[in-house]
Amino acid sequence: MPTTDAVLTDRLAVEIARLGIVGESSDVGTLHRVTALASRAVPGCAGATGVRWALPHGPDERPEPLASAASHPDLADAVERQLARGHGFLFDVVNARRAAGTDDVLAEARWPEAMADLLRGGVRCFSTTPHRMGPVLVTLTLFGVRPRALGEGQRGLAALLAAQGSAAMSNSLQYGDVHRTAVQLQEAVESRAVVDQAKGILMHALGCDADEAFVEMRRISQTRHVKLTALAQRIVGAQGLP
């Protein structure tokens, strides 16, 4: 079998699957894991970069990068220069939602500034693959040091890595949203409980009903500029009124 053929081994399959584990790492951490895996496991790939993008809301809005990672410093510099310019093959791929690349950087005329950056780093070919999962859009770029080093098999593995990486980030975002909601609900339940306890104490002390006790707590809260929950905690803790 030619050395440039991409093979999905059992070990590589396990490593790709692990990318989708929720909570395994942050966005940047996931991107670093994807780029490191691509540069190590994809034949013909000498390095890789990954970018997570904010989705444009309209045709006139420019894509905005939210996080990036690279397997090598030279590639990181080339990507950062392109992101700073605001145009290049990465932006074209995001806008079109379609893969792009070139078999020989020396013969590529579409992105002259970006090609000059890559040539300075010894890159002779590249392939960028986009993948969207929910609110997450990720681009993964493979780089080769020889012309035509990246074929269909390599691009297929890149698509798989990009898909799993974006799924991991999308899952993490959803997990984070659910976790924050659960925390807020818990805090709301605890706040309601302490307010109810404080009302009971005031009802006993003032000889009033629950509604009257709550009106009194709100009056004290507003006139003394103290949050209702903080006031309730002081009453329950027998600290007196502020």
Side-chain angles (χ1 to χ4, degrees), residues 78 82 85 87-89 105 111-120:
Q82 183 176 163
R85 284 192 295 265
H87 61 84
F89 61 85
V105 169
W111 310 286
E113 293 172 306
M115 295 307 99
D117 291 338
L118 295 182
L119 285 172
R120 282 192 291 269

Side-chain angles (χ1 to χ4, degrees), residues 66-134:
L66 299 177
S68 64
S71 60
H72 297 79
D74 288 349
L75 296 176
D77 291 342
V79 167
E80 287 304 320
R81 283 193 289 270
Q82 183 176 163
L83 296 180
R85 284 192 295 265
H87 61 84
F89 61 85
L90 290 172
F91 290 88
D92 289 353
V93 166
V94 172
N95 285 323
R97 303 289 201 278
R98 216 169 35 243
T102 184
D103 287 334
D104 192 346
V105 169
L106 279 175
E108 180 56 65
R110 287 174 291 179
W111 310 286
E113 293 172 306
M115 295 307 99
D117 291 338
L118 295 182
L119 285 172
R120 282 192 291 269
V123 173
R124 290 295 305 273
C125 67
F126 74 90
S127 175
T128 300
T129 302
H131 191 274
R132 178 180 176 180
M133 174 67 74

Side-chain angles (χ1 to χ4, degrees), residues 3-8 11-13 15-16 19 29-51 69-72 75 127-129 138-144 149-150 153-165:
T3 57
T4 55
D5 286 351
V7 178
L8 183 61
R11 181 176 180 180
L12 177 56
E15 291 188 77
I16 292 174
L19 292 172
T30 298
L31 286 172
H32 275 295
R33 291 164 58 213
V34 169
T35 58
L37 184 56
S39 62
R40 185 177 73 249
V42 178
C45 177
T49 61
V51 181
S71 60
H72 297 79
L75 296 176
S127 175
T128 300
T129 302
V138 170
T139 54
L140 177 64
T141 305
L142 307 183
F143 300 92
L150 301 170
Q154 285 86 340
R155 288 193 283 271
L157 273 181
L160 182 58
L161 287 166
Q164 196 69 346

Side-chain angles (χ1 to χ4, degrees), residues 160-240:
L160 182 58
L161 287 166
Q164 196 69 346
S166 61
M169 284 179 266
S170 179
N171 290 341
S172 293
L173 287 175
Q174 293 179 45
Y175 173 82
D177 290 342
V178 170
H179 179 69
R180 282 189 293 273
T181 300
V183 170
Q184 291 169 356
L185 288 173
Q186 180 65 28
E187 290 174 347
V189 169
E190 292 174 355
S191 296
R192 177 63 182 270
V194 74
V195 169
D196 286 344
Q197 292 180 53
K199 283 196 303 183
I201 292 172
L202 286 182
M203 289 167 61
H204 178 74
L206 302 177
C208 61
D209 61 24
D211 290 341
E212 292 170 333
F214 185 69
V215 169
E216 180 63 13
M217 287 179 63
R218 288 186 60 187
R219 184 189 68 77
I220 296 171
S221 170
Q222 293 170 357
T223 57
R224 304 195 185 186
H225 306 290
V226 179
K227 289 184 177 180
L228 187 64
T229 302
L231 174 63
Q233 289 172 340
R234 291 184 64 88
I235 294 173
V236 171
Q239 296 175 350

